[in-house]
Amino acid sequence: MRSLRVLRWLPFVVMLGVAAIDLLAGQSVVFLPLLTLGPAFASVSGGVRRTAAVGAVALAICVPMALYNDLLFTWENNLTVIGIAGVTAASMLAARLRLERERELASVRQVAEAAQRVLLRPVPRRAGDLRVALSYTSAAAEARIGGDLYEIVTTPHGVRLLIGDVQGKGLAAVETAAWVLGAFREAAYDEADLADIGDRLEASLARHLGGEKFVTAIIAEVHETEMALVNFGHPPPLLVLGAGGLISVEPSEPGLPLGLGAFDPTAAKAYRVPFEGGDRILFFTDGVIEARNAAGEFYPLVERSGLLRREDPQAALDTLRADLVEHTGGPLLDDAAMLLLHRPRH
């Protein structure tokens, strides 16, 4: 907002500066051609009418300054006037084209964000005996449409969840996320084994993805005292033990991201971790751990994990999110999704 105000006033500051320098320099040196900078700068942030108004101000300044320099009816001053008029006309055209592109971009973003909101439905706050908390932080305006995805479903096989991150951004990433979520929502009910769900996702992506595009993901299933997971090249979740302690839930055998199964036919294997009363587990995308501060330091998620021990899971996750944004000191450069599951003590 501050930079926008600066840009709006910049044309007038420049033109007044040119006039002041011309007065101070006397009649020996003429700076009037630099008045064309006014309408040129105006086209960067203003509309067509504003740019035309700045050009008119430039001409209004040029006439008395030419009179002061005894150049009012000279060929040199005529060229200056023609130059100001020409630059103003070109700047008006540039401003019009810029506004059209901005409207088109805004429309595309609105459509993509609406599609993303439909895809990323609100997760239930309770699933089985679990309490669920969610945090989704959009990135900066230049990259706020991303491919982070998540889902929790209660099936005959138990509570199952998916969290993932599509390579790339924009509409293509949202489209890929739609394929993954659609395949997961069907397979989570149909398949009895987590590895089979992964095979379904891999087959779905093989029909749609080309080249070396991929999706990192974790599929998990909650049991009475433990949790089964299959990791497809995704950052491992953090298990916050109710008795104290923190465990990074690394897979015993790392698997390739979804979409790259052709490079290694060996399917990713499920592994199990204890998940008992009082425990919490945090799933997250790489936008969390790759967020940097002004010094270029990554966000220290492990060191900040103590924030997740607040009594209310959603309040704990909101506190962690606020700490993440404070660490970066501004908008994130990548989407950051976090999913926190809490198993109350019985």
Side-chain angles (χ1 to χ4, degrees), residues 116 119 145-149 166-179 213:
Q116 198 170 34
L119 291 173
I145 303 171
D148 286 9
L149 54 98
V166 179
Q167 178 199 26
K169 300 186 182 299
L171 293 176
V174 175
E175 186 178 13
T176 302
W179 294 328
K213 295 182 180 179

Side-chain angles (χ1 to χ4, degrees), residues 152-321:
I152 293 182
V153 293
T154 302
T155 73
H157 310 286
V159 176
R160 288 176 165 177
L161 66 90
L162 165 73
I163 188 167
D165 188 0
V166 179
Q167 178 199 26
K169 300 186 182 299
L171 293 176
V174 175
E175 186 178 13
T176 302
W179 294 328
V180 175
L181 287 170
F184 173 76
R185 287 164 183 162
E186 290 186 4
Y189 286 93
D190 298 339
E191 303 295 343
D193 189 80
L194 287 183
D196 294 334
I197 298 177
D199 292 340
R200 289 272 293 270
L201 299 185
E202 185 69 45
S204 176
L205 289 177
R207 292 193 298 267
H208 297 100
L209 291 183
E212 297 183 357
K213 295 182 180 179
F214 58 85
V215 180
T216 66
I218 293 179
I219 303 172
E221 179 180 283
V222 182
H223 302 286
E224 290 186 0
T225 59
E226 62 181 8
M227 176 179 290
L229 305 96
V230 180
N231 192 318
F232 299 94
H234 197 78
L238 291 179
L239 178 61
V240 182
L241 300 175
L246 183 72
I247 300 175
S248 179
V249 187
E250 300 277 356
S252 56
E253 297 183 18
L256 290 177
L258 296 169
L260 301 181
F263 295 95
D264 185 1
T266 304
K269 297 181 180 179
Y271 58 103
R272 297 175 180 267
V273 295
F275 189 53
E276 302 177 343
D279 293 347
R280 295 182 175 185
I281 187 167
L282 176 68
F283 297 88
F284 54 90
T285 58
D286 58 7
V288 177
I289 54 177
E290 293 180 359
R292 298 173 182 260
N293 59 13
E297 299 170 337
F298 291 111
Y299 181 67
L301 179 60
V302 173
E303 287 79 357
R304 299 289 203 275
S305 60
L307 299 174
L308 296 172
R309 295 188 178 277
R310 296 187 60 175
E311 182 176 353
D312 181 64
Q314 188 60 56
L317 199 56
D318 290 342
T319 302
L320 184 67
R321 176 193 177 278

